[in-house]
Amino acid sequence: MSDARPIQPADWAAPRGYVNGMAKRGELLAIAGQIAWDAQQRIVSDELDAQFGQCLANVVAVVEAAGGHASDVISLTVFVTDKQRYLAATKALSSIWRTHFGRHYPAMALVEVSALVEDRALVEIQGLAVLP
């Protein structure tokens, strides 16, 4: 029997076909790709900056549900449907980043993709955290 446990923020709708986070022995937390869904799985906006902020908030919510903090995140992969749009918004996205992560910057990668799981999704963020 595995000692891994799924992580689900208490006030979120249950996902189907994935988990929002997975912790193993309370040390490593794998954070599933988070799109700009609110707790009821509704896309919050069609604007990139609002979606980016919601994705980051969702990542932090999964980490906190596992007993961690934003500063415990060690790696993030950001998937976007339009790299040029993302790069053009860098200044605004930096401000949004600081709202959720302050000056904590984990290892990160940016990947442009043709589409994401939801048609309206412009960005998806997955990650890893080491829990205290």
Side-chain angles (χ1 to χ4, degrees), residues 85-102:
R85 185 174 178 184
Y86 178 90
L87 294 174
T90 299
K91 192 172 209 170
L93 299 181
S94 293
S95 177
I96 293 165
W97 175 271
R98 286 188 298 281
T99 299
H100 299 281
F101 281 86

Side-chain angles (χ1 to χ4, degrees), residues 11-122:
D11 59 342
W12 287 15
R16 294 187 306 187
Y18 67 96
V19 296
N20 283 300
M22 183 63 67
K24 182 170 176 71
R25 287 190 222 141
E27 297 171 350
L28 183 65
L29 171 67
I31 305 152
Q34 299 297 313
I35 62 172
W37 274 340
D38 62 15
Q40 287 72 46
Q41 297 183 341
R42 295 179 301 234
I43 297 285
V44 298
S45 173
D46 290 320
E47 298 300 319
L48 178 64
D49 56 344
Q51 286 200 17
F52 184 74
Q54 185 65 48
C55 290
L56 291 177
N58 291 349
V59 166
V60 171
V62 171
V63 173
E64 289 176 346
H69 306 283
S71 60
D72 296 324
V73 174
I74 62 168
S75 177
L76 291 175
T77 303
V78 179
F79 300 92
V80 295
T81 58
D82 186 338
K83 180 181 73 170
Q84 295 307 319
R85 185 174 178 184
Y86 178 90
L87 294 174
T90 299
K91 192 172 209 170
L93 299 181
S94 293
S95 177
I96 293 165
W97 175 271
R98 286 188 298 281
T99 299
H100 299 281
F101 281 86
R103 298 258 180 232
H104 174 66
Y105 299 100
M108 291 191 283
L110 177 69
V111 180
E112 184 178 39
V113 296
S114 62
L116 294 166
V117 68
E118 292 292 324
D119 290 338
R120 290 177 56 204
L122 304 173

